[in-house]
Amino acid sequence: MAQESPKNSAAEIPVTSNGEVDDSHEHGFNRDLKHSLPSGLGLSETQITSHGFDSTKEGVVEAGVFQGGQRTQTKSGPVILADEIKNPAMEKLELVRKWSLNTYKCTRQIISEKLGRGSRTVDLELEAQIDILRDNKKKYENILKLAQTLSTQLFQMVHTQRQLGDAFADLSLKSLELHEEFGYNADTQKLLAKNGETLLGAINFFIASVNTLVNKTIEDTLMTVKQYESARIEYDAYRTDLEELNLGPRDANTLPKIEQSQHLFQAHKEKYDKMRNDVSIKLKFLEENKVKVLHNQLVLFHNAIAAYFAGNQKQLEQTLKQFHIKLKTPGVDAPSWLEEQ
């Protein structure tokens, strides 16, 4: 008796009556696979679709995120990054590249100017004003240093006069035969110490005002001047680059470089013009402020010194009142904010 050959279920292909492949078993397999997976695992649902053997297409695996029994399919195709998603490392590398290129161009321009090979843009009127400002700053710093020395020496002299007056007053009480002589000298030294303290207040006010002018107002203007000079070097560096490119051949390779160089040159030219305008305005306002401040301080210094050495105590005190200078009484602390209110 002939044995019946065992059937291989994997080799069976169900066919319908019209000759098409029956895919009902395939859908049943996908359904059984779906129910066999535990729910809530957060896995992506996978659907396997097969085609007939006569098809030229390969099997397609479609994946989607499983969300409560519903599937969100993702379309296949090239991955496109959104514009707002940028790599921080690439941005930093780009910034470093631009900074290095700019530094190289500026350094080359500075060396060329020092060697006398490169040309530089010069505003004669503005450069003259800047040179005068720097020279005046050095002279004002010297005046400030000498005034501080005078203040220190005057403070020491006033301190010595006060101690000498106390010593004369003590001897006046203990020496009956020289009571009047010691008393006159004690009063004189105490009066000199008092006038010296008044003069010291005027000199310190002069020092504070000149210090503000030199180390804040003028220094702020010079910082703007430094920014202007940096903008000038960058402008000349990119101008030289553009001139070199214009002297070379013009073809498909050089035209984009020339266009980019023209764009960078225009941007640095606008920056240079803006900084030059800022420096001009600051120099103008600085000159007006300097004349006003120094006029008042020089009048104060002269009147206070003249009144002190003339022994005119009333004029010395009037000078301080004219400039609203209040002296701090030795040994008396400033009132608290509660007392002021």
Side-chain angles (χ1 to χ4, degrees), residues 249-260:
R250 291 177 175 267
D251 51 27
N253 294 328
T254 59
L255 283 178
K257 295 181 180 180
I258 295 175
E259 184 178 352
Q260 182 183 10

Side-chain angles (χ1 to χ4, degrees), residues 133-151:
L133 175 63
R134 285 174 172 161
D135 185 59
N136 286 339
K137 183 175 184 289
K138 292 180 181 179
K139 295 178 179 179
Y140 295 154
E141 286 174 342
N142 185 44
I143 290 177
L144 186 61
K145 181 180 178 181
L146 294 174
Q148 290 171 342
T149 303
L150 177 62
S151 175

Side-chain angles (χ1 to χ4, degrees), residues 112-124:
S112 298
E113 291 178 2
K114 290 186 176 180
L115 295 178
R117 298 176 181 176
S119 60
R120 57 176 303 222
T121 304
V122 179
D123 189 328
L124 296 178

